[in-house]
Amino acid sequence: NAGVTQTPKFRVLKTGQSMTLLCAQDMNHEYMYWYRQDPGMGLRLIHYSVGEGTTAKGEVPDGYNVSRLKKQNFLLGLESAAPSQTSVYFCASIPKEITTETQYFGPGTRLLVL
Amino acid sequence: RKEVEQDPGPFNVPEGATVAFNCTYSNSASQSFFWYRQDCRKEPKLLMSVYSSGNEDGRFTAQLNRASQYISLLIRDSKLSDSATYLCVVASSGGSYIPTFGRGTSLIVHP
């Protein structure tokens, strides 16, 4: 199993450009999450999905859109990038049968918006 | 008030020292508790889950106090390799499962 993978690993954008970050998991997990991490801020939830075809807003959803067309993929889109979106983005997944289960994280995508 | 609060540190300790971190949470309905470790520029990785009865894994001991709504992590005999940021994570199972992260506590172990 590859676990959770993220594409790309690093990207530089100009203000106003758009891009899509891809998260893929091969563990048949139901729940998937997108977080951003800024210095001193910890991980903040952007959007999440509880299953194929469903998405919901997290703590900091503004400026982002997501889609979960396939169970294994969770896409994060920036329609018009802003410097404030410079951050490290982490994707995570978890199976449906959760009691004391933990999240599996991807390696992160480092995004710089100029 | 942030849902999960941690002292950011840094905690600067010598090798062999014992160090303790605390974390407080505001949602009394929280049911799952974890400590994660994050190395610089890497993804968070689970260190240990935290159970009501407390649990130990080698040099690491985690405790949960539901009445006071805090969890703790104790590291004994600190190693240089323990230097990292330790994240407290709390989740409730009502409705959607959404883990909430603290900002992390930085630990630096020096020779």
Side-chain angles (χ1 to χ4, degrees), chain B residues 50-71:
Chain B
V50 187
Y51 304 116
S52 295
S53 56
N55 47 303
E56 187 174 313
D57 183 2
R59 298 182 292 109
F60 299 85
T61 300
Q63 298 274 0
L64 167 64
N65 185 318
R66 286 187 183 273
S68 300
Q69 296 185 201
Y70 78 83
I71 67 174

Side-chain angles (χ1 to χ4, degrees), chain B:
Chain B
R1 181 186 170 190
K2 194 162 169 57
E3 284 189 48
V4 179
E5 299 210 42
Q6 296 181 249
D7 181 346
F11 286 65
N12 202 320
V13 303
E15 271 186 292
T18 295
V19 61
F21 308 138
N22 286 331
C23 165
T24 59
Y25 61 94
S26 59
N27 184 354
S28 58
S30 299
Q31 296 180 310
S32 301
F33 308 89
F34 309 93
W35 283 102
Y36 278 71
R37 171 193 170 125
Q38 186 175 28
D39 293 292
C40 187
R41 301 176 69 81
K42 299 281 190 178
E43 72 272 25
K45 293 187 177 177
L46 179 68
L47 179 65
M48 57 199 305
S49 301
V50 187
Y51 304 116
S52 295
S53 56
N55 47 303
E56 187 174 313
D57 183 2
R59 298 182 292 109
F60 299 85
T61 300
Q63 298 274 0
L64 167 64
N65 185 318
R66 286 187 183 273
S68 300
Q69 296 185 201
Y70 78 83
I71 67 174
S72 64
L73 177 67
L74 183 75
I75 305 175
R76 291 181 298 278
D77 189 23
S78 298
K79 311 292 184 190
L80 295 176
S81 57
D82 292 335
S83 297
T85 296
Y86 291 83
L87 302 169
C88 172
V89 183
V90 174
S92 59
S93 307
S96 299
Y97 184 80
I98 302 177
T100 300
F101 286 74
R103 297 186 179 188
T105 297
S106 176
L107 173 65
I108 301 169
V109 182
H110 58 80

